[in-house]
Amino acid sequence: MKPVAIKVKLTLLILVFAIILGLLLLQSIPAFNLRTVQITVEGGSGEVPVEAKQQLASLVGVSLFSINMMKQKRALTDITGIQKADLRRKPPSTLQATVHLFDASAVIREEDGGQAYLVEDHHLRKLHPDDVSAWQKVVVTIEVPASYAHMMATYSVDDSFLHVMQLATSLEGKTTLITKIKYDNNSSNSFGKMVLELSSLNAQIWVREPVGAPQIHAAVSLVLQDQKDSLSFLSSEARRYDLYREGLVRRW
């Protein structure tokens, strides 16, 4: 072997050894222990998920140069709502984190206040209880039977529910009388049963077939007029209306 080649190899080995030694030295200096975590959130609910806060807070006291950045990024993207995470060291003792959240489609909630899920790219992922209210401020919430939620969490959102989400999203912020949206896939037709609750009117609109947002706006107006004419809002029992493509039918 030529003397030049041996010198190059020795130089590389020394360089690698020096880098490792330098890193170990930096890790042993208390001044580089993490004291501050700065978190910026982009998109989605606009709030940092609780589990992300907990994960990053657990690093406080650890040397800034002993943190496995790739491992921490992967752990962050495993948290519901987080699409991407960027981490950057800011010596001597600060870690900067930028969390990019999903543009989620909806919050799915099991009946009777059960588990909540976030719809990410047609897949359901469990939401931490403390994150639910933040997401409910920016996306529509749909209540479903627990068994149906479990099925969609195991597989994915089916075509019928995709239509329900699209319809519910189109109504968001436009029909303020609608206080709750429920959906049940167990029905005699392929669409299932979508129920719009109008608490202030003591009424429910059962959407029996796929319809558009304009039809629902019209139905709400008809229910409002009907309630005024009949004073049914004084009754203790909610009045039900069935909405079809052809029109609205009052059941009781």
Side-chain angles (χ1 to χ4, degrees):
M1 188 178 288
K2 295 181 180 180
V4 175
I6 295 174
K7 288 182 179 179
V8 170
K9 286 187 176 182
L10 284 174
T11 302
L12 289 175
L13 285 173
I14 293 171
L15 181 61
V16 170
F17 179 75
I19 291 172
I20 294 173
L21 187 63
L23 185 59
L24 291 173
L25 181 62
L26 288 173
Q27 291 176 0
S28 66
I29 299 175
F32 291 118
N33 289 349
L34 182 63
R35 292 182 176 83
T36 305
V37 179
Q38 298 172 345
I39 309 176
T40 302
V41 63
E42 295 183 0
S45 66
E47 296 189 22
V48 182
V50 170
E51 290 173 286
K53 292 179 183 177
Q54 294 170 345
Q55 178 187 323
L56 293 170
S58 70
L59 300 174
V60 173
V62 176
S63 171
L64 199 61
F65 295 98
S66 66
I67 296 172
N68 186 325
M69 304 292 266
M70 291 304 298
K71 180 180 177 181
Q72 294 300 325
K73 287 180 183 180
R74 286 194 297 269
L76 285 169
T77 53
D78 284 340
I79 296 171
T80 297
I82 298 180
Q83 185 176 32
K84 178 185 173 185
D86 297 315
L87 298 176
R88 189 168 72 88
R89 297 182 181 90
K90 187 180 179 182
S93 58
T94 299
L95 180 67
Q96 294 179 325
T98 302
V99 176
H100 306 267
L101 302 183
F102 274 96
D103 182 15
S105 305
V107 169
I108 307 302
R109 185 129 214 180
E110 294 177 6
E111 289 176 336
D112 303 319
Q115 176 66 50
Y117 304 80
L118 193 67
V119 182
E120 300 175 355
D121 295 333
H122 299 176
H123 293 279
L124 268 64
R125 297 188 61 192
K126 288 184 178 180
L127 263 176
H128 190 285
D130 293 338
D131 291 331
V132 176
S133 60
W135 282 100
Q136 286 181 318
K137 294 175 184 177
V138 296
V139 296
V140 67
T141 300
I142 304 173
E143 192 174 290
V144 302
S147 59
Y148 187 46
H150 295 165
M151 185 195 75
M152 291 194 290
T154 303
Y155 301 102
S156 64
V157 174
D158 55 47
D159 291 340
S160 295
F161 196 74
L162 276 176
H163 182 85
V164 170
M165 282 198 304
Q166 291 166 358
L167 182 56
T169 302
S170 70
L171 295 171
E172 193 176 15
K174 297 176 182 176
T175 307
T176 55
L177 290 173
I178 298 174
T179 52
K180 184 183 290 187
I181 299 176
K182 297 181 180 180
Y183 179 74
D184 191 342
N185 63 319
N186 292 317
S187 181
S188 57
N189 61 56
S190 59
F191 175 68
K193 181 180 70 179
M194 183 179 185
V195 179
L196 310 176
E197 291 195 2
L198 292 78
S199 300
S200 63
L201 300 179
N202 196 22
Q204 296 179 340
I205 297 177
W206 289 31
V207 183
R208 310 299 293 185
E209 297 175 332
V211 296
Q215 287 168 287
I216 290 184
H217 294 317
V220 170
S221 297
L222 288 172
V223 170
L224 184 60
Q225 187 58 50
D226 184 56
Q227 298 287 58
K228 288 180 180 178
D229 294 341
S230 62
L231 299 180
S232 61
F233 58 87
L234 298 176
S235 172
S236 60
E237 186 176 1
R239 177 165 288 191
R240 172 184 154 187
Y241 300 81
D242 284 0
L243 178 60
Y244 299 90
R245 293 188 188 94
E246 293 80 11
L248 187 69
V249 178
R250 186 176 67 194
R251 294 303 181 187
W252 66 72

